[in-house]
Amino acid sequence: MSRAESLARVAVVYVVAIAAGAGWLAWGADTSWLWLDGLIADLIATLVIFAASRIHGNSSFYDAWWSVAPPLLAFYWWLAADAGVSDGRWWLLMTVMLLWAIRLTGNWVYGFPGLHHEDWRYPLLRAKAGRAELAADLMAIHVVPTLQVFAGMIPVYVVATRSGEPLGWLDLVAFALGLAAIALETVADLQMHRFVATKTPGAVMDRGVWSWSRHPNYFGEFGVWLAFGLFGLAAAPGSWWVLLGAVAMAVLLQTASIPMMEQRSLERRPEYADVVRRISRFVPRPPRKVAG
């Protein structure tokens, strides 16, 4: 199957998934809570994508949903709550979200080789589950990431459904942080693309922003979700729980995504051990000087 046909199939599945979620919102039972309506719609869409993943034997069908779903949820909440177009906080937040979503989805499209390829982590997760591989595929690869992203969307829900708090300094901090995080992710991805295109076998990436952090793209991703949390805190001062989504994102990166990437790099490239000694794991900082 060609790359173009693969992308077309993913796009069709996403249209069907979005239609299924929208169908629930239009004709399903009313829960009286906009956040719960959005969650159910998101899970229904996820199940559609899961079905396509099983039919095609490729769970990478899900990958782009991470950045496609959030703007859809955000606009649904905003429209349903009738928050008003004059809310400056909302538009600052959505500027960050749309830039993030377009960048991340575009990067996925750029790097997607086709449905003959699957993210290397997914077969490992299914293999470790043994006879429970279907449950692992459903929960670990599809449902849990959906719930993770939804947790990060809690402050977005707060901003979309509350008004009254004036625009303030925290909104500006959140906006600046979001833009800086997106810029870091963009630079990290561009540098990695150039490296992959020209690298020699066994080479490791330790230049540019990758010389300050072994995972600058993940640090930037965390920064975006933290920015959403700060917007939520500005909309509901004192509501510390709006930051729990960003905290959960950091935990996911530190306990799952990064350890798997680190182990794979160490197994495939022995020189990566030197990178580990010199370069920060997550938070960017100048590299350590290691005695020769």
Side-chain angles (χ1 to χ4, degrees):
M1 186 185 304
S2 69
R3 179 173 181 272
E5 183 181 351
S6 297
L7 286 170
R9 289 200 183 194
V10 173
V12 169
V13 168
Y14 277 30
V15 169
V16 174
I18 293 168
W24 162 265
L25 294 175
W27 300 295
D30 185 359
T31 69
S32 299
W33 292 299
L34 284 179
W35 68 266
L36 184 55
D37 291 335
L39 175 58
I40 294 172
D42 197 4
L43 289 172
I44 289 172
T46 298
L47 290 177
V48 172
I49 296 169
F50 171 69
S53 295
R54 299 300 293 187
I55 291 170
H56 290 82
N58 190 332
S59 295
S60 281
F61 254 93
Y62 180 83
D63 290 351
W65 191 246
W66 182 279
S67 52
V68 169
L72 299 176
L73 276 173
F75 275 113
Y76 161 68
W77 285 330
W78 180 69
L79 291 171
D82 193 23
V85 296
S86 61
D87 191 345
R89 176 177 298 111
W90 165 257
W91 291 114
L92 287 178
L93 184 153
M94 286 311 299
T95 297
V96 173
M97 177 172 287
L98 291 174
L99 287 174
W100 164 80
I102 292 169
R103 190 214 70 81
L104 191 55
T105 306
N107 187 65
W108 175 82
V109 171
Y110 177 82
F112 181 61
L115 287 173
H116 60 277
H117 171 82
E118 184 180 31
D119 188 301
W120 59 271
R121 292 168 291 189
Y122 301 158
L124 288 178
L125 289 170
R126 292 194 298 265
K128 287 181 180 179
R131 294 182 179 179
E133 67 87 17
L134 187 147
D137 193 5
L138 172 62
M139 298 306 298
I141 300 175
H142 293 79
V143 172
V144 170
T146 289
L147 295 176
Q148 177 74 56
V149 170
F150 193 87
M153 289 290 291
I154 290 172
V156 178
Y157 174 80
V158 171
V159 174
T161 58
R162 292 193 186 187
S163 60
E165 288 295 329
L167 201 67
W169 66 268
L170 190 55
D171 295 294
L172 300 181
V173 170
F175 185 65
L177 173 61
L179 294 183
I182 293 168
L184 175 59
E185 287 185 292
T186 302
V187 171
D189 284 341
L190 290 174
Q191 291 178 348
M192 180 58 76
H193 289 321
R194 286 197 293 268
F195 171 75
V196 170
T198 60
K199 72 175 181 178
T200 57
V204 294
M205 179 54 155
D206 62 352
R207 64 195 72 167
V209 296
W210 298 83
S211 68
W212 281 51
S213 170
R214 303 201 299 273
H215 303 280
N217 51 338
Y218 286 155
F219 183 76
E221 183 71 9
F222 167 70
V224 170
W225 293 101
L226 180 58
F228 295 157
L230 294 180
F231 276 120
L233 195 60
S239 301
W240 57 267
W241 44 267
V242 299
L243 297 173
L244 291 179
V247 172
M249 196 67 65
V251 171
L252 172 70
L253 294 173
Q254 293 289 355
T255 63
S257 300
I258 289 177
M260 291 185 74
M261 295 294 293
E262 296 272 276
Q263 182 179 355
R264 179 176 172 86
S265 293
L266 288 169
E267 290 174 350
R268 300 178 69 193
R269 295 179 286 274
E271 296 85 354
Y272 191 71
D274 177 62
V275 172
V276 172
R277 287 191 294 268
R278 293 186 292 107
I279 299 174
S280 170
R281 171 184 165 108
F282 189 58
V283 180
R285 62 164 181 76
R288 300 182 187 93
K289 292 182 179 180
V290 179

